[in-house]
Amino acid sequence: MRIGLVGLGRIGAFHAETLAGLAAVETLVITDAREGVADEVAVRLREIAPGTRVEVVRPEELLAAGVDGLVVATATNGHAEWIRRGIEGGVPTFCEKPVSGGLAETIELARLEAASDTPVHIGHQRRFDVGFRRVREAVASGELGFVHTIRANTHDQAPPPAEFIPTSGGIFRDCGVHDFDAIRYVTGREVASVYAVGANKGADFFSAAGDVDTGAAVLTLDDDTLVLMSTTRYNGGGHDVRMEVMGERGTITAGLDHTLAMTSAEPDVDFPRGPQKWSFMERFLPAYQAELTAFFEVAAGRAPSPCTIADALEAFRVAEACELSRAERRPVAMTEIEGL
């Protein structure tokens, strides 16, 4: 397949290396708005994947280059524009989350997707993580009996650059949204209400941007399952993403292995032995590979999108509710947040 990739920042360059190493990609057509960046990435790709043809084009030439699928990894403010271009051009599109920086535009694009035959796959990679898939299976099969409590966390090893925070949308929209999508994916349920809080104990640039470096929320699902979620930019021991699902007959956990960024206080316990994972790209590399491989099936018309704009919208709505709850210090019902 000929795959087009726009945006070659940290995640875009990471996706480019993943795509170049996949057998389904015969030609990778790359572009970036910054002068010379695509040429630099192309040199690297040709070294690590000599069997994949790499072409460099200007952004305005990408969709005219005869691509079978489009991968969007620009900054957030470019996502909506490229999703529109993909849909209007009839090119199956994969886009990193979020769909847009705003709720209204996300709703608009979900409606555009619904009215089109062109599939869009939004990148919530935990849907392709082996552990999260096993947890989903345990819930769906009834192995746990009824589910009553879920603990979900996204704990970054270190904060992102200061300049990223003002454009991130806030900790719940940037980090927590992955948990919100995973909760829907694992349980098959919707969030009914949220109560969220946040605090700052780290760098001043979080407060300066109106954001927090640590957040927590209690979510109530539409079947009265309770969810306790937490997220932070400061987990110096490593990157820690887990989900514990507790049921009538047992508990199952995704992310519980020897890379766990945690130390036991119990004597004679050698768990976890390490080494820890230090970034989301390291933690979820197999999931990213599986996710992009699945996109080829979508682009070829052999499978439906595993995470539509409508799916991403629901996770984004929960993040919106959490930001509103944090700001107003009150519970927020999901009926207060605009949707489809």
Side-chain angles (χ1 to χ4, degrees):
M1 298 183 77
R2 284 176 61 83
I3 299 295
L5 170 63
V6 57
L8 293 166
R10 181 173 66 157
I11 191 66
F14 175 72
H15 281 330
E17 293 192 9
T18 301
L19 287 164
L22 297 177
V25 180
E26 297 173 355
T27 303
L28 187 58
V29 186
I30 62 174
T31 190
D32 191 279
R34 296 165 297 167
E35 188 72 28
V37 170
D39 292 303
E40 293 175 7
V41 172
V43 170
R44 169 68 176 154
L45 296 177
R46 289 167 185 146
E47 290 175 351
I48 65 174
T52 301
R53 180 180 174 83
V54 180
E55 299 177 8
V56 176
V57 298
R58 293 192 296 270
E60 62 271 19
E61 299 171 335
L62 183 59
L63 291 181
V67 295
D68 301 307
L70 170 66
V71 175
V72 179
T74 65
T76 294
N77 59 10
H79 289 186
E81 175 189 356
W82 279 101
I83 289 173
R84 280 196 197 91
R85 289 186 187 185
I87 292 175
E88 291 169 357
V91 179
T93 298
F94 174 95
C95 184
E96 270 302 323
K97 69 85 188 170
V99 172
S100 166
L103 181 60
E105 190 169 43
T106 304
I107 292 171
E108 175 211 333
L109 288 167
R111 289 173 175 156
L112 184 64
E113 174 193 44
S116 170
D117 293 328
T118 302
V120 179
H121 176 177
I122 302 302
H124 278 290
Q125 84 282 359
R126 292 183 200 180
R127 291 174 177 246
F128 293 89
D129 178 78
V130 172
F132 280 86
R133 288 194 157 197
R134 172 66 183 96
V135 173
R136 183 176 190 253
E137 176 186 288
V139 173
S141 69
E143 175 184 333
L144 304 179
F146 64 77
V147 173
H148 53 76
T149 308
I150 297 172
R151 298 182 191 273
N153 64 267
T154 296
H155 297 166
D156 289 340
Q157 185 268 332
E163 59 269 21
F164 170 74
I165 297 303
T167 64
S168 71
I171 200 165
F172 291 110
R173 296 188 189 96
D174 181 52
C175 286
V177 72
H178 283 292
D179 294 289
F180 305 145
D181 181 72
I183 289 161
R184 295 184 68 246
Y185 171 73
V186 163
T187 66
R189 312 300 309 192
E190 300 294 346
V191 177
S193 65
V194 312
Y195 183 74
V197 294
N200 282 310
K201 289 191 171 183
D204 291 339
F205 59 73
F206 290 102
S207 297
D211 197 7
V212 293
D213 60 48
T214 302
V218 176
L219 317 179
T220 303
L221 304 189
D222 58 9
D223 66 347
D224 287 336
T225 299
L226 300 180
V227 180
L228 312 173
M229 72 82 61
S230 65
T231 184
T232 184
R233 305 291 192 177
Y234 289 96
N235 194 60
H239 188 72
D240 182 15
V241 174
R242 279 174 288 129
M243 177 179 285
E244 302 170 33
V245 179
M246 306 171 201
E248 168 196 13
R249 299 176 190 156
T251 297
I252 192 167
T253 305
L256 185 63
D257 62 20
H258 283 290
T259 70
L260 188 64
M262 185 180 294
T263 301
S264 174
E266 300 299 328
D268 302 320
V269 173
D270 66 350
F271 177 84
R273 292 193 294 269
Q276 286 76 23
K277 302 284 178 63
W278 297 98
S279 72
F280 66 88
M281 291 182 286
E282 185 183 2
R283 164 70 173 84
F284 287 109
L285 176 58
Y288 280 117
Q289 292 170 332
E291 177 181 61
L292 289 171
T293 299
F295 173 61
F296 301 146
E297 296 298 300
V298 175
R302 294 190 291 263
S305 171
C307 186
T308 65
I309 297 177
D311 287 320
L313 169 62
E314 291 310 309
F316 194 80
R317 290 180 66 240
V318 178
E320 288 280 304
C322 284
E323 289 293 353
L324 178 61
S325 176
R326 179 179 75 85
E328 298 189 356
R329 300 186 178 186
R330 65 175 180 87
V332 172
M334 289 306 301
T335 52
E336 297 180 53
I337 308 299
E338 185 183 0
L340 289 175

